């Protein structure tokens, strides 16, 4: 097989997967929980082909939700990459994640639902199932100016703690449990993130 043919097949697979994700995302935003078959039908792709990319409904829904957010978050991270102020970078991340979480509430709740469904279904290879890897990447990028300042353990601890107070999970608690939403929720998320950065910096100075 020539390299050109191989490359074209690879590109075609990427386009097919993207078409399925776009189709599923549109259906989610319309208030539906599309199956693999429904997403395939809307995208004009055969059911058999669709199942080569997504083995289950929850697999499709989780990936569709994440794909919807990815470009916006990548743009946001690029916009703050020129600053060396970790507080400002984390605040920008908190604000962006709150606004995107409210804008894409349906998709992100779908991602959580799919994750919860996976947690009660044993993996075929008994490997742990995990979501949120992209969130951790964004957080690590936001506090990157502190990487050479903090001990490795403290950097990882700060990353994990920020993951608790940033994103759809925190927003659901603030809105559904505490009754706080909009800019008030945004301010609380920024406050929590700032407090964590201050704490880890204070602990580092004491060492």
């Amino acid at each position: 097989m020539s390299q050109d043919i191989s490359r074209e097949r690879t590109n075609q697979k990427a386009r097919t997967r993207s078409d399925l994700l776009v189709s599923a995302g549109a259906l989610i935003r319309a208030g539906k929980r599309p199956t693999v078959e429904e997403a395939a039908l809307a995208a004009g792709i055969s059911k058999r082909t669709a199942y080569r990319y997504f083995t289950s409904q929850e697999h499709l829904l989780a990936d569709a939700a994440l794909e919807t957010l990815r470009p916006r978050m990548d743009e946001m991270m690029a916009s703050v990459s020129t600053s060396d102020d970790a507080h400002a970078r984390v605040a920008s991340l908190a604000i962006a994640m709150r606004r995107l979480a409210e804008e894409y509430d349906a998709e992100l709740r779908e991602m959580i639902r799919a994750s919860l469904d996976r947690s009660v279904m044993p993996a075929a290879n008994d490997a742990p199932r995990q979501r949120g890897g992209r969130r951790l990447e964004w957080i690590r990028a936001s506090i990157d100016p502190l990487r050479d300042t903090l001990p490795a353990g403290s950097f990882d601890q700060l990353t994990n703690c920020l993951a608790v107070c940033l994103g759809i999970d925190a927003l659901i608690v603030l809105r559904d449990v505490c009754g706080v939403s909009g800019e008030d929720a945004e301010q609380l998320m920024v406050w929590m993130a700032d407090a964590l950065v201050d704490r880890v910096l204070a602990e580092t100075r004491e060492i």
Side-chain angles (χ1 to χ4, degrees), residues 29 68-69 72 95-108 168 171 175:
R29 290 186 70 79
T68 301
L69 295 177
R72 294 279 297 277
I95 291 169
M97 293 187 77
R98 194 283 299 177
R99 294 179 181 179
L100 286 177
E102 292 202 342
E103 183 177 353
Y104 295 99
D105 181 77
E107 291 91 336
L108 289 168
I168 185 61
L171 188 61
R175 185 171 54 201

